[in-house]
Amino acid sequence: MEIEERVNVNDYVFKVLETVKLRNPGEKEFHQAVEEVLTSITPLLEERKEYLEAGILERIVEPERVVYFRVPWIDDKGRTRVNRGFRVQFNSALGPYKGGLRFHPTVNTSIVKFLGFEQIFKNALTGLPMGGGKGGSDFNPKGKSDMEIMKFCQSFMTELSRYIGDDIDVPAGDIGVGDREIGYLFGQFKRLKGAYEVGALTGKNIRIGGSLVRKEATGYGLIYFVSRMLEDNGLTLENKKVIVSGSGNVAIYAIEKAQQLGAKVLACSDSSGFVYDYDGIDVEILKAIKEKQRKSLTEYIKFRPNAEYNENSKNIWKIPCDIALPCATQNEIDEEIAKILIKNGVKAVGEGANMPTTKEGIDLFIKNKVLFAPAKASNAGGVAVSGLEMIQNAGKTYWSYEEVDQRLKKIMYEIYKIASETAEAFNEPGNLLKGANIASFEKVANAMLIQGIV
Ligand code: NDP
Ligand code: 2IT
């Protein structure tokens, strides 16, 4: 685009978005993530025309590099299986690419690009030196034996190892990838490199260089953020009715921390359905079923006398609650569900998952003055502690649980402060989505300006 064409910021943003859609056909999640960021930063672009002149927008929506590769492996019956592996190295203005790996049958280029794009800004908000990236595979870990998981991880890493390293790109977990998978990935990486390059992956088990509190970090960080947001609005978590979707890593530790702070968590879900526990979710039972046995939530009601199971996951949002915490996957909360939540009097929504609310859902929450904690701010605790794991690894040292937890809390409070102060400075007090997008974009754009057109 010529500079003259860039004078009207709204037209300019519209043209960039149109180009993104044309260049990345059919990638609707990626389009959605880009649109959300670009349309909310127009007031900043009005003030910083140098961003337009340096082509920051056109550059920031284009990944620096995308790789995809074949992942062949042999299942327990001796059959050859082939999956597809992905890594998108989106932006390295602030540091090495950093972001998780997702193993789920729905993974494709649109999913990894949307996640990678979000990650750029989320990582910037943590204040730690990390660029943005994401990866994964359409491999479905459900029903696979431990041996099959190991063989898949080894094959996946055989390819991925060409592209990662502690100063290059540092993967971690996401859906379907926890410390078991990171352990197998690390083992194969070490073998291929012939060196114990401990900082090339995070989310490691603490016995092989992981950080304390990494496992809890996303869920705990979400609750630290939400409690700060409530406090700022004269509310607390004490005795609040909370609904959490998902029952994986993020959901479990969000439930645990919310309960520690006095909330009543009534329900949680998985891909097969949800449980409503009138006595409040028993998080230790949940951990045993989901973390250890890797079974469905249907098991939960066997142990709890006052719990019910419902096989439609989405109906979890019909339960009246004060606080809704979507912690499963993207686009869980659409316009229809947002209307139900609002009708039932929801006071706050805290996004634990990435992009769990559609644009229409977000607009409704903001219009109806529901306190809204946007994912790239509120779920940044996971990658923040990954950043702390990188620092510990680089210094060949370990910090105590209390030390990491305190640092996590401080980072989450700081992110809240930046997002709310920026929202206020741009005349939209309370709009944390706008505040988080503007503050993080500015940070990345400034770092890009300094480094020239690369
Ligand atoms: P897990 O794999 O540990 O858990 C995912 C949970 O969500 C499971 O309960 C799963 O159900 C459910 N789920 C996944 N996909 C779907 C789907 N398509 N429909 C319905 N339910 C689904 O993943 P995490 O807890 O790590 O991740 C959850 C969300 O949080 C994701 O959006 C992820 O990107 C985000 N996130 C994760 C971070 C991390 O550090 N792990 C950091 C920041 C964000 P089932 O058990 O049946 O598979
Ligand atoms: O979405 C995310 O922030 C993550 N899955 C965590 C990424 C990381 O590098 O710890």
Side-chain angles (χ1 to χ4, degrees):
M1 253 179 271
E2 297 301 318
I3 291 176
E4 302 80 75
E5 288 183 56
R6 298 174 180 168
V7 176
N8 181 316
V9 164
N10 284 327
D11 289 353
Y12 176 56
V13 164
F14 180 78
K15 280 185 187 165
V16 174
L17 282 172
E18 285 304 295
T19 311
V20 167
K21 287 176 189 163
L22 280 171
R23 276 191 164 177
N24 304 278
E27 297 182 358
K28 60 182 192 335
E29 292 85 2
F30 179 48
H31 303 168
Q32 182 185 342
V34 174
E35 186 160 354
E36 182 216 284
V37 172
L38 295 197
T39 54
S40 70
I41 58 162
T42 48
L44 173 73
L45 299 176
E46 294 286 0
E47 288 179 6
R48 303 292 300 269
K49 291 274 165 58
E50 68 269 33
Y51 292 162
L52 309 188
E53 279 151 28
I56 297 285
L57 254 57
E58 291 92 331
R59 286 192 283 141
I60 216 164
V61 297
E62 193 63 32
E64 289 177 18
R65 193 170 301 100
V66 182
V67 287
Y68 79 87
F69 45 87
R70 179 167 72 200
V71 189
W73 56 283
I74 296 173
D75 70 17
D76 287 346
K77 294 199 170 107
R79 286 177 308 206
T80 301
R81 302 282 199 103
V82 180
N83 285 97
R84 185 171 275 187
F86 300 87
R87 187 74 185 165
V88 45
Q89 299 183 326
F90 221 119
N91 191 297
S92 61
L94 291 174
Y97 310 106
K98 179 83 196 86
L101 297 169
R102 176 178 291 191
F103 292 171
H104 194 272
T106 54
V107 168
N108 56 32
T109 40
S110 176
I111 298 286
V112 287
K113 279 197 214 158
F114 115 66
L115 290 164
F117 187 73
E118 285 287 289
Q119 201 82 46
I120 306 170
F121 305 102
K122 182 195 308 194
N123 294 2
L125 287 171
T126 67
L128 298 168
M130 301 182 289
K134 201 84 185 194
S137 174
D138 59 0
F139 173 73
N140 185 359
K142 279 230 175 80
K144 302 289 189 298
S145 69
D146 196 51
M147 192 59 75
E148 289 176 324
I149 298 282
M150 183 182 78
K151 285 197 249 176
F152 175 81
C153 287
Q154 291 178 340
S155 182
F156 183 87
M157 181 51 85
T158 300
E159 276 300 317
L160 186 70
S161 62
R162 299 161 186 262
Y163 312 106
I164 67 170
D166 58 2
D167 289 330
I168 305 168
D169 182 355
V170 183
D174 193 80
I175 292 178
V177 179
D179 77 339
R180 172 180 63 164
E181 290 73 20
I182 295 292
Y184 294 147
L185 291 164
F186 182 70
Q188 181 73 350
F189 181 71
K190 185 190 70 175
R191 187 179 176 205
L192 289 162
K193 293 282 160 181
Y196 207 101
E197 291 177 14
V198 72
L201 287 162
T202 63
K204 300 178 294 291
N205 188 293
I206 50 166
R207 295 177 182 86
I208 58 166
S211 174
L212 289 165
V213 198
R214 175 62 187 89
K215 186 173 65 175
E216 297 87 348
T218 315
Y220 279 20
L222 170 67
I223 300 303
Y224 293 150
F225 189 96
V226 168
S227 62
R228 192 62 201 82
M229 175 175 81
L230 293 173
E231 190 186 284
D232 213 15
N233 289 277
L235 300 165
T236 67
L237 274 163
E238 194 84 37
N239 293 322
K240 295 293 181 304
K241 285 191 224 125
V242 177
I243 302 294
V244 178
S245 65
S247 51
N249 175 262
V250 179
I252 287 174
Y253 292 95
I255 294 171
E256 184 168 273
K257 185 53 75 179
Q259 288 176 337
Q260 283 172 11
L261 298 182
K264 212 166 172 195
V265 184
L266 295 173
C268 65
S269 61
D270 65 10
S271 52
S272 71
F274 73 87
V275 287
Y276 185 164
D277 191 332
Y278 291 82
D279 298 329
I281 295 291
D282 185 319
V283 80
E284 294 308 321
I285 292 180
L286 195 63
K287 284 182 196 172
I289 294 168
K290 285 297 188 181
E291 288 185 332
K292 292 203 178 67
Q293 300 164 19
R294 300 174 191 276
K295 287 193 175 151
S296 151
L297 266 185
T298 45
E299 293 295 306
Y300 181 88
I301 50 171
K302 295 183 186 162
F303 301 93
R304 298 286 288 171
N306 292 323
E308 283 170 16
Y309 178 78
N310 181 306
E311 61 186 23
N312 184 339
S313 315
K314 284 218 158 184
N315 283 344
I316 193 172
W317 302 118
K318 291 187 179 162
I319 305 168
C321 65
D322 301 308
I323 298 166
L325 303 175
C327 295
T329 194
Q330 62 276 355
N331 293 329
E332 303 175 48
I333 298 189
D334 57 14
E335 191 175 10
E336 191 194 335
I337 293 174
K339 277 184 190 157
I340 294 170
L341 283 164
I342 292 165
K343 192 171 126 265
N344 287 338
V346 73
K347 296 181 180 68
V349 175
E351 296 189 317
N354 282 307
M355 207 169 75
T357 316
T358 63
K359 184 186 178 307
E360 295 74 23
I362 295 174
D363 290 347
L364 274 179
F365 289 141
I366 290 177
K367 199 171 127 216
N368 286 277
K369 305 249 177 302
V370 174
L371 303 176
F372 181 73
K376 64 171 71 64
S378 54
N379 78 21
V383 75
V385 175
S386 275
L388 301 179
E389 183 174 335
M390 290 165 73
I391 297 170
Q392 291 170 79
N393 289 162
K396 297 189 190 298
T397 187
Y398 291 96
W399 296 337
S400 69
Y401 187 95
E402 289 69 31
E403 163 103 42
V404 183
D405 193 35
Q406 277 312 315
R407 285 183 189 243
L408 168 65
K409 204 179 274 178
K410 192 162 169 250
I411 292 171
M412 297 313 297
Y413 289 173
E414 197 56 36
I415 296 176
Y416 178 79
K417 188 163 178 272
I418 298 166
S420 63
E421 285 179 359
T422 309
E424 205 148 330
F426 283 86
N427 296 321
E428 293 212 35
N431 188 338
L432 299 176
L433 179 77
K434 198 149 214 166
N437 282 338
I438 292 178
S440 57
F441 182 92
E442 192 172 17
K443 233 175 156 178
V444 180
N446 289 343
M448 287 174 74
L449 275 185
I450 293 167
Q451 296 175 54
I453 311 289
V454 291

